Amino acid sequence: MKKVIAIGGSNSKKSINKTLATYAANQLKDSEIMVVDLNDFDLPIYGIDLENEKGIPEEAIRLDNLIDAADGLVISLAEHNGSYSVAFKNAFDWLSRINQKVWKNKPMLLMATSPGGRGGATVLQTAKTSFPHLGGNIVADFSMPSFHNNFSEGKIVNEEINTDLTEKIHLLQEAM
Ligand SMILES: Cc1cc2nc3c(=O)[nH]c(=O)nc-3n(C[C@H](O)[C@H](O)[C@H](O)COP(=O)(O)O)c2cc1C
């Protein structure tokens, strides 16, 4: 069994990105999926002074260990004002202080979705540019626009989009 972590890049309890990441990860064969909810990691706002005073929080180390133990990563990023959500960026910043290779070269399916027509394309592009410098091994990326039109009752209802995602999931499967 492969170990796969699905991360929604948001602290919304009803995160559509967590939903999409979980949906995609669950399509992987012979894989044990662990869904990471950022709400379960109680992290203070990153600051160099806090780090110097108190060191790296245990919760950041716990998240780092989960990534370390994974064979593959499925990440779907929420877009807030064209960028990462604060919750995601904060966790990301803490992780980068443990190990600059945050994503540890684990094969990654990188996604974004939003209720709007651009599907988080801006944050996805940012991450595609940045993650490779931080140990990101992005084997496929995928943006799903208009989440609420295209995802219903636990699945993607737009056939073309689903076929596209299925191909991307295969790429991750082959890379793990
Ligand atoms: C502060 C804030 C800024 C947002 N900015 C964007 C944006 O730049 N682009 C976009 O597509 N959606 C934006 N949205 C809408 C989010 O895409 C939407 O809230 C989505 O549900 C976030 O994903 P999540 O459910 O996984 O948290 C914004 C939402 C908030 C609360």
Side-chain angles (χ1 to χ4, degrees):
M1 286 287 257
K2 300 286 184 184
K3 283 190 184 169
V4 175
I5 291 184
I7 305 176
S10 167
N11 62 355
S12 163
K13 286 181 188 160
K14 291 182 180 168
S15 169
I16 59 176
N17 283 283
K18 190 173 87 170
T19 301
L20 181 62
T22 306
Y23 172 80
N26 279 330
Q27 315 292 316
L28 292 161
K29 296 186 188 81
D30 305 317
S31 300
E32 182 190 320
I33 311 303
M34 179 173 194
V35 179
V36 166
D37 184 330
L38 293 179
N39 289 302
D40 296 336
F41 295 82
D42 191 12
L43 292 167
I45 293 176
Y46 178 79
I48 186 71
D49 300 329
L50 183 65
E51 184 187 346
N52 287 339
E53 280 161 32
K54 296 196 171 169
I56 309 279
E58 279 299 322
E59 289 291 88
I61 295 166
R62 185 164 70 88
L63 183 54
D64 184 68
N65 287 339
L66 287 177
I67 296 169
D68 211 20
D71 297 298
L73 307 172
V74 177
I75 301 180
S76 189
L77 297 168
E79 181 172 292
H80 280 184
N81 298 320
S83 191
Y84 303 115
S85 76
V86 165
F88 179 83
K89 184 62 162 56
N90 192 45
F92 186 27
D93 286 350
W94 277 116
L95 288 170
S96 73
R97 302 299 289 168
I98 299 169
N99 179 348
Q100 223 236 319
K101 301 285 177 205
V102 172
W103 308 114
K104 305 178 195 297
N105 293 310
K106 310 279 177 168
M108 180 193 294
L109 169 58
L110 179 64
M111 305 188 288
T113 191
S114 80
R118 296 196 70 249
T122 304
V123 70
L124 186 63
Q125 188 54 52
T126 300
K128 276 173 69 176
T129 308
S130 143
F131 284 9
H133 300 289
L134 293 135
N137 172 15
I138 303 167
V139 297
D141 65 270
F142 177 80
S143 154
M144 188 164 86
S146 309
F147 178 86
H148 299 290
N149 298 336
N150 291 320
F151 194 98
S152 171
E153 292 176 6
K155 59 180 198 295
I156 294 177
V157 290
N158 178 313
E159 211 165 302
E160 207 176 309
I161 291 176
N162 201 40
T163 303
D164 186 15
L165 179 57
T166 303
E167 283 170 16
K168 306 282 166 76
I169 293 165
H170 279 311
L171 291 173
L172 176 61
Q173 183 95 58
E174 282 166 17
M176 286 197 305

